[in-house]
Structures are given as C-alpha cells and as structure tokens.
Amino acid sequence: MSHQEKDSFGAKLGMWLFLFTEMLLFGGVFILYSVYLNRYPKEFGLGGHQLDLVFGATNTVVLLTSSLFAAMSVTAIKRGAKRLTLGLLSVTIGCALVFLCIKYLEWSAKFHHGIYPNSPKLIAGPPGESIFFSLYYLTTGLHGIHVVIGGILMTWTAVMVQKGILNSTDNVTLENVTLYWHLVDLVWIFIFPLYYLIL
C-alpha cells in the first residue's frame, strides 16, 4: 500500500467515525421524539397536521436529487471529467440553497401563525403540542445547520476541483464530503415521515 493510499484510507476511516457520532446525535433526538410521541400521541397528531406536506415532500425530492448529483460528481472526477464534476457540484449546491429557502418559507409561515417555541398560542394549548413543535424546530433546525455546513463544504471542494487540487487520482476529500451530504439526506428521510407523514 502506497503512502497516498494509506492517507486515503485514514481519511475515509476518520470520516466514517465522524459520521457515526453524527448518527448518535440525531439518534438521540429521534429517541426523545419517540418518548414524547408515546406520551402525547393525540397532541403530536394535532401538531403534525399543521405542518405543510407540500413543503416537506418538495424538500425530500430536492435532497434526494442533490444526493444523486453529489454521487455522480465523485464518478465524474474519477474519470477526469473536471467540467462535469463542477457542473454536478453546482447543482448539488443549488439544491442545498433551494432546500434552505423552502425551509425558511415554512418556518416563516409557522411564525406568522404564532407557532414557535414558547409562543402564547402554544402555551395556551395542550402541553404535548408545544413539545411537538419544540422538537420540530430542534430537529429541523439542527438538520438545517448541517445542510448549511454541507453546502459550504461542497463549495470548498468545487473550488479545489477548479484549481486542480482534487483530480482523478486525488479525490478522497470529495468522497468524504459526499458521504457527509448523504448523511444529511439520510437524516431528512427519517425526519420527513416522523413529522409530516406518520402523524
């Protein structure tokens, strides 16, 4: 095994360990959700029905599409197709921005209707509904931060591809960033049914 191959293996192993800690983080949030769902099933149902299914479904399609293009960018760079790689990364970054814009619109609509943590409307209602929306903002807010980080990382790797630092023989950084992006996508695949569909 060459020195470069050892470095690549170490980088990939480090990324997988990091992704494991991220899964533990979101796993803890999902466990918390399950505990309160079991305690307040009716109130969670009422809260879930107030979420916009169109926004949620659209963002699901956007993230799935972004993951496809991110995976294709790895294949493209391995084949030495620099322009194609940059194009695919641009679409992925664009999808991240679209996702964040939709999430902003969704949150804005909820705030406009007085639905936010510790709002008078939620305080006056049943406690379970308030807990539902607190978890909703916690989960989607935490996920949104990861989308922002992923978008920044994708932009950074695109710059490295443009400069030729990442190429057909040295592309482990792009692979790792793409793995991170797939995690962001995977987490949303859990968030969407838990908050928008199951209830």
Side-chain angles (χ1 to χ4, degrees), residues 58-191:
T58 302
N59 262 346
T60 302
V61 173
V62 168
L63 275 189
L64 287 173
T65 302
S66 71
S67 271
L68 172 63
F69 282 101
M72 290 170 64
S73 72
V74 175
T75 302
I77 199 171
K78 288 180 181 293
R79 294 178 178 175
K82 180 178 177 179
R83 288 185 63 184
L84 178 59
T85 302
L86 289 171
L88 293 167
L89 286 174
S90 296
V91 174
T92 304
I93 296 166
C95 286
L97 292 174
V98 170
F99 178 92
L100 291 171
C101 287
I102 292 174
K103 185 52 62 180
Y104 170 77
L105 292 174
E106 185 176 10
W107 275 30
S108 295
K110 290 289 171 285
F111 272 69
H112 178 71
H113 289 98
I115 301 174
Y116 52 88
N118 295 321
S119 68
K121 181 176 180 179
L122 290 182
I123 291 175
E129 189 175 356
S130 179
I131 292 173
F132 171 83
F133 280 105
S134 293
L135 287 172
Y136 164 75
Y137 281 112
L138 170 65
T139 310
T140 58
L142 187 60
H143 179 263
I145 291 172
H146 282 72
V147 173
V148 171
I149 294 172
I152 292 172
L153 290 174
M154 283 290 177
T155 303
W156 173 59
T157 54
V159 172
M160 293 179 73
V161 171
Q162 178 63 42
K163 292 181 177 180
I165 299 173
L166 297 180
N167 49 59
S168 60
T169 58
D170 185 6
N171 48 63
V172 68
T173 301
L174 177 57
E175 284 190 63
N176 282 343
V177 170
T178 300
L179 279 175
Y180 176 84
W181 191 251
H182 289 328
L183 173 69
V184 172
D185 185 19
L186 178 64
V187 170
W188 180 257
I189 289 174
F190 280 95
I191 292 174

Side-chain angles (χ1 to χ4, degrees), residues 15-25 183:
M15 175 54 71
W16 278 109
L17 290 174
F18 170 72
L19 294 181
F20 178 71
T21 63
E22 290 287 281
M23 286 187 284
L24 289 178
L25 171 64
L183 173 69

Side-chain angles (χ1 to χ4, degrees), residues 6-17:
K6 288 181 180 179
D7 287 345
S8 297
F9 176 78
K12 290 178 181 178
L13 178 61
M15 175 54 71
W16 278 109
L17 290 174

